[in-house]
Amino acid sequence: MSEPEISLDEQLLRARAGNRSGLRHLLEAFRPLLDTFAQDRIDYPLRKRMSESDLVQDTMLTASAAFSEFRGTSTAEFREWLLRVFESRMADGIRRHQVAERRRQSRDRFEVASRLPDTSPLPSDGLSATEESRRLI
């Protein structure tokens, strides 16, 4: 015989009482919502550096570690808090992507510049121009 299903409100109460299993079940209940949010919000360029499943996992780990900061009393409040954690993790991922992209562009510019021929004047070029000027005068 299987265990009776426990409501999300009961899981929240258990989690508030320090029951890690209750928190794990509560977070798992919201995984499909987080999956949907991740699919909707991660565009192609960002997918190169951040997968949807990594973002969801990071959100759940962060929420688990920061659960003591949750001040709500209902599953609706928990849902909103969890989505704020998600948005925070997403923003962090975007910042990391932007930093990595700027670094890549800078490296690309450096590589292009290093392949260009050196057109800076040589000290002897100045002498040649001076000598040429004297001859003309």
PDB file of all heavy atoms in Angstrom, residues 112-123 125:
ATOM      1  N   VAL A 112      42.748  39.625 -34.177  1.00  0.00           N
ATOM      2  CA  VAL A 112      42.701  40.300 -35.474  1.00  0.00           C
ATOM      3  C   VAL A 112      43.804  41.348 -35.544  1.00  0.00           C
ATOM      4  O   VAL A 112      44.533  41.441 -36.540  1.00  0.00           O
ATOM      5  CB  VAL A 112      41.313  40.940 -35.719  1.00  0.00           C
ATOM      6  CG1 VAL A 112      41.348  41.902 -36.891  1.00  0.00           C
ATOM      7  CG2 VAL A 112      40.277  39.853 -35.935  1.00  0.00           C
ATOM      8  N   ALA A 113      43.958  42.128 -34.494  1.00  0.00           N
ATOM      9  CA  ALA A 113      44.977  43.178 -34.474  1.00  0.00           C
ATOM     10  C   ALA A 113      46.376  42.578 -34.562  1.00  0.00           C
ATOM     11  O   ALA A 113      47.260  43.151 -35.210  1.00  0.00           O
ATOM     12  CB  ALA A 113      44.846  44.024 -33.210  1.00  0.00           C
ATOM     13  N   SER A 114      46.591  41.446 -33.957  1.00  0.00           N
ATOM     14  CA  SER A 114      47.926  40.845 -33.997  1.00  0.00           C
ATOM     15  C   SER A 114      48.253  40.288 -35.380  1.00  0.00           C
ATOM     16  O   SER A 114      49.416  40.088 -35.705  1.00  0.00           O
ATOM     17  CB  SER A 114      48.053  39.752 -32.931  1.00  0.00           C
ATOM     18  OG  SER A 114      47.209  38.671 -33.241  1.00  0.00           O
ATOM     19  N   ARG A 115      47.240  40.054 -36.214  1.00  0.00           N
ATOM     20  CA  ARG A 115      47.475  39.556 -37.574  1.00  0.00           C
ATOM     21  C   ARG A 115      47.689  40.681 -38.583  1.00  0.00           C
ATOM     22  O   ARG A 115      48.124  40.439 -39.689  1.00  0.00           O
ATOM     23  CB  ARG A 115      46.301  38.684 -38.024  1.00  0.00           C
ATOM     24  CG  ARG A 115      46.345  37.313 -37.381  1.00  0.00           C
ATOM     25  CD  ARG A 115      45.279  36.412 -37.957  1.00  0.00           C
ATOM     26  NE  ARG A 115      44.353  36.140 -36.864  1.00  0.00           N
ATOM     27  CZ  ARG A 115      43.043  36.206 -36.950  1.00  0.00           C
ATOM     28  NH1 ARG A 115      42.457  36.502 -38.065  1.00  0.00           N
ATOM     29  NH2 ARG A 115      42.283  35.956 -35.903  1.00  0.00           N
ATOM     30  N   LEU A 116      47.371  41.919 -38.204  1.00  0.00           N
ATOM     31  CA  LEU A 116      47.547  43.051 -39.109  1.00  0.00           C
ATOM     32  C   LEU A 116      49.038  43.394 -39.215  1.00  0.00           C
ATOM     33  O   LEU A 116      49.775  43.289 -38.244  1.00  0.00           O
ATOM     34  CB  LEU A 116      46.786  44.272 -38.599  1.00  0.00           C
ATOM     35  CG  LEU A 116      45.261  44.156 -38.584  1.00  0.00           C
ATOM     36  CD1 LEU A 116      44.660  45.392 -37.920  1.00  0.00           C
ATOM     37  CD2 LEU A 116      44.719  43.991 -39.993  1.00  0.00           C
ATOM     38  N   PRO A 117      49.473  43.826 -40.401  1.00  0.00           N
ATOM     39  CA  PRO A 117      50.881  44.224 -40.523  1.00  0.00           C
ATOM     40  C   PRO A 117      51.148  45.479 -39.705  1.00  0.00           C
ATOM     41  O   PRO A 117      50.272  46.338 -39.552  1.00  0.00           O
ATOM     42  CB  PRO A 117      51.055  44.486 -42.019  1.00  0.00           C
ATOM     43  CG  PRO A 117      49.681  44.717 -42.545  1.00  0.00           C
ATOM     44  CD  PRO A 117      48.740  43.958 -41.636  1.00  0.00           C
ATOM     45  N   ASP A 118      52.353  45.572 -39.195  1.00  0.00           N
ATOM     46  CA  ASP A 118      52.741  46.730 -38.395  1.00  0.00           C
ATOM     47  C   ASP A 118      53.019  47.893 -39.329  1.00  0.00           C
ATOM     48  O   ASP A 118      53.917  47.832 -40.163  1.00  0.00           O
ATOM     49  CB  ASP A 118      53.977  46.399 -37.564  1.00  0.00           C
ATOM     50  CG  ASP A 118      54.321  47.499 -36.585  1.00  0.00           C
ATOM     51  OD1 ASP A 118      53.499  48.429 -36.410  1.00  0.00           O
ATOM     52  OD2 ASP A 118      55.414  47.434 -35.994  1.00  0.00           O
ATOM     53  N   THR A 119      52.227  48.943 -39.228  1.00  0.00           N
ATOM     54  CA  THR A 119      52.389  50.110 -40.108  1.00  0.00           C
ATOM     55  C   THR A 119      52.975  51.299 -39.374  1.00  0.00           C
ATOM     56  O   THR A 119      53.003  52.404 -39.916  1.00  0.00           O
ATOM     57  CB  THR A 119      51.020  50.508 -40.704  1.00  0.00           C
ATOM     58  OG1 THR A 119      50.113  50.784 -39.637  1.00  0.00           O
ATOM     59  CG2 THR A 119      50.467  49.416 -41.586  1.00  0.00           C
ATOM     60  N   SER A 120      53.445  51.072 -38.164  1.00  0.00           N
ATOM     61  CA  SER A 120      54.014  52.197 -37.428  1.00  0.00           C
ATOM     62  C   SER A 120      55.338  52.586 -38.073  1.00  0.00           C
ATOM     63  O   SER A 120      56.085  51.735 -38.557  1.00  0.00           O
ATOM     64  CB  SER A 120      54.210  51.827 -35.955  1.00  0.00           C
ATOM     65  OG  SER A 120      55.045  50.702 -35.839  1.00  0.00           O
ATOM     66  N   PRO A 121      55.628  53.881 -38.111  1.00  0.00           N
ATOM     67  CA  PRO A 121      56.855  54.331 -38.768  1.00  0.00           C
ATOM     68  C   PRO A 121      58.100  53.864 -38.005  1.00  0.00           C
ATOM     69  O   PRO A 121      58.098  53.797 -36.780  1.00  0.00           O
ATOM     70  CB  PRO A 121      56.738  55.854 -38.757  1.00  0.00           C
ATOM     71  CG  PRO A 121      55.770  56.162 -37.667  1.00  0.00           C
ATOM     72  CD  PRO A 121      54.866  54.963 -37.549  1.00  0.00           C
ATOM     73  N   LEU A 122      59.107  53.530 -38.734  1.00  0.00           N
ATOM     74  CA  LEU A 122      60.380  53.153 -38.138  1.00  0.00           C
ATOM     75  C   LEU A 122      61.209  54.413 -37.930  1.00  0.00           C
ATOM     76  O   LEU A 122      61.042  55.410 -38.656  1.00  0.00           O
ATOM     77  CB  LEU A 122      61.124  52.187 -39.068  1.00  0.00           C
ATOM     78  CG  LEU A 122      60.423  50.861 -39.333  1.00  0.00           C
ATOM     79  CD1 LEU A 122      61.172  50.094 -40.407  1.00  0.00           C
ATOM     80  CD2 LEU A 122      60.326  50.047 -38.067  1.00  0.00           C
ATOM     81  N   PRO A 123      62.125  54.405 -36.973  1.00  0.00           N
ATOM     82  CA  PRO A 123      62.968  55.598 -36.778  1.00  0.00           C
ATOM     83  C   PRO A 123      63.728  55.979 -38.044  1.00  0.00           C
ATOM     84  O   PRO A 123      63.903  57.154 -38.343  1.00  0.00           O
ATOM     85  CB  PRO A 123      63.930  55.180 -35.673  1.00  0.00           C
ATOM     86  CG  PRO A 123      63.230  54.079 -34.950  1.00  0.00           C
ATOM     87  CD  PRO A 123      62.376  53.394 -35.982  1.00  0.00           C
ATOM     88  N   ASP A 125      62.658  55.729 -41.009  1.00  0.00           N
ATOM     89  CA  ASP A 125      61.745  56.380 -41.952  1.00  0.00           C
ATOM     90  C   ASP A 125      61.791  57.896 -41.794  1.00  0.00           C
ATOM     91  O   ASP A 125      61.727  58.636 -42.763  1.00  0.00           O
ATOM     92  CB  ASP A 125      60.303  55.892 -41.757  1.00  0.00           C
ATOM     93  CG  ASP A 125      60.123  54.435 -42.164  1.00  0.00           C
ATOM     94  OD1 ASP A 125      60.995  53.914 -42.882  1.00  0.00           O
ATOM     95  OD2 ASP A 125      59.099  53.840 -41.747  1.00  0.00           O
TER      96      ASP A 125
END
